[in-house]
Structures are given as structure tokens and as C-alpha cells.
Amino acid sequence: MERKYHISKHCRIDHHGVLYNGQPLSAEISTEFSIFSKAFYYSLGTTYPKFFKMDNLSKLAWLGAELLLKEELSKNIAIVLSNRSSSYDTDLKHVHTISNTEQYYPSPAIFVYTLPNVCIGEIAIRHHLQTENIFFVSEQFDSQLTVNYCNYLLNSNRAEKVMCGWVEYLEENYKLVLYLVEKTGNLAHDLNVVRQLML
């Protein structure tokens, strides 16, 4: 018998603001991500100095995860994320540090973020998660793949809950949609609901 799962929490962060379970949160909206992310970080009332050392993709993922996982007691939460641009925004910054042969200085602080799954690592460190995780790169969010992979993780007892979603950042264009899947929740975890969340 096929088990049914539910979406217990979801959030969205983009140029229009921040939504948590469909309700707007008070957040300073700015076209500059650095201004928005810093203001939103402080609004969360969290103290985590490492946040300011992260690249923008990791900051975006971290902020969304903070909304969904801040009060979670379970540490058996897998993470399934995807995006279109991988870590290209940080890759460009890294290239800039090595393109000038006279001022050649590859920054370790930038280089460490030249893989998209590093943002999952930042979330896992913050929330003490030692669970399954994967980061897909594709042109669009693959709802079918994500739903199937999430269900596999839950059906095989590899995780008690799964945080899934899309986290995209490239040159000040950003969008994050995250949702937490578990046994109980207000929304069914199915293709139609997931596709609606991603719109």
C-alpha cells in the first residue's frame, strides 16, 4: 500500500518578499540581495556569524531553511534541492580572482562555494543534520523527480522528514521555494500541490 505524505510547512523568498505558509512576513524588500538578506537575517533574531561569510546562494538557502527548520526537534531530515545556475554566480567571482595574471589571488573564501551543494552543507551544519542530501541542476524544477526522490527517502526510512525545493541565485536574481514533507501536514504531498508551490 502506497504511503501518503504531507507538506507541513513551506516558504518562498524572491524579489516580491517572503511568504511563510502562504502568508507574507515582514521583510525589508530591496533589489540588492545583500541589503535584503542582511535585514531578513536580523529579523529572524538569530545569532550565526558564519552567515556573513557565505556566498549568496548559501545565504538564500540558509534563510529559507531557517524558516522551516528553526523550531524542528527532529534531526532526521533529508534535503533535496535543485536550481538552474548551479554555483555559477560564485564561479564568476572566482574566475575574477584568477583572471588577472599580475594580481592573481584565488580566494579560498570564494573557492569553497564553487559547488551548489555547499549550501546544503551550510544548512546541515546549522541544524546538526547528518542525513541524506542531494542537489540537482536542471533548467526547471523537476516536480516528478523531486516528489519521487522524496517519497523514496521516506518509504525506505532513510529520513523522517525531507526538506525539498528550488534555490536559485544568479547576479541579483533570486528565488527560493522550500517545503517540508512528513507524515502530517495541511497540504498533500503530490505533483499538483508541488507544482502550485513552484509557480
Side-chain angles (χ1 to χ4, degrees):
M1 182 176 180
E2 185 178 339
R3 296 182 207 171
K4 299 288 185 186
Y5 299 103
H6 296 83
I7 296 173
S8 59
K9 305 172 190 175
H10 55 94
C11 67
R12 168 185 291 265
I13 300 174
D14 60 22
H15 289 281
H16 302 292
V18 180
L19 295 177
Y20 177 72
N21 290 337
Q23 299 300 312
L25 292 183
S26 175
E28 180 178 329
I29 305 301
S30 172
T31 55
E32 290 186 47
F33 182 75
S34 62
I35 294 172
F36 160 75
S37 62
K38 186 184 293 183
F40 190 56
Y41 167 86
Y42 284 120
S43 77
L44 294 172
T46 303
T47 302
Y48 195 74
K50 192 177 179 193
F51 174 81
F52 297 100
K53 297 179 180 178
M54 297 177 195
D55 74 336
N56 289 328
L57 179 66
S58 293
K59 284 180 180 175
L60 181 59
W62 192 94
L63 289 170
E66 197 69 8
L67 287 173
L68 297 191
L69 304 180
K70 188 174 182 180
E71 296 179 2
E72 278 295 322
L73 299 177
S74 174
K75 300 302 176 195
N76 189 8
I77 302 171
I79 302 173
V80 180
L81 299 180
S82 59
N83 79 1
R84 175 183 306 117
S85 302
S86 183
S87 58
Y88 190 60
D89 191 77
T90 300
D91 296 349
L92 291 173
K93 291 175 181 154
H94 177 64
V95 167
H96 182 71
T97 67
I98 61 175
S99 59
N100 186 332
T101 56
E102 293 181 10
Q103 297 180 349
Y104 181 86
Y105 180 72
S107 169
I110 295 175
F111 179 74
V112 73
Y113 289 101
T114 56
L115 289 171
N117 60 338
V118 174
C119 70
I120 292 177
E122 295 290 3
I123 294 168
I125 291 168
R126 164 68 176 145
H127 295 281
H128 309 288
L129 306 177
Q130 297 179 351
T131 49
E132 300 274 342
N133 65 73
I134 192 164
F135 198 108
F136 296 109
V137 178
S138 60
E139 188 62 31
Q140 298 177 8
F141 182 76
D142 191 331
S143 302
Q144 184 73 67
L145 173 68
T146 305
V147 167
N148 290 346
Y149 198 83
C150 175
N151 287 343
Y152 162 74
L153 291 171
L154 294 168
N155 287 335
S156 61
N157 295 317
R158 293 179 184 273
E160 179 185 345
K161 303 178 183 184
V162 183
M163 185 175 72
C164 304
W166 177 263
V167 53
E168 167 72 11
Y169 185 95
L170 180 60
E171 298 178 332
E172 294 293 328
N173 293 304
Y174 59 93
K175 178 182 178 183
L176 170 139
V177 178
L178 293 181
Y179 57 92
L180 188 65
V181 181
E182 56 185 299
K183 290 180 180 173
T184 60
N186 294 327
L187 298 173
H189 179 236
D190 62 32
L191 277 176
N192 290 333
V193 172
V194 170
R195 286 173 178 155
Q196 284 296 315
L197 291 177
M198 290 296 154
L199 292 177

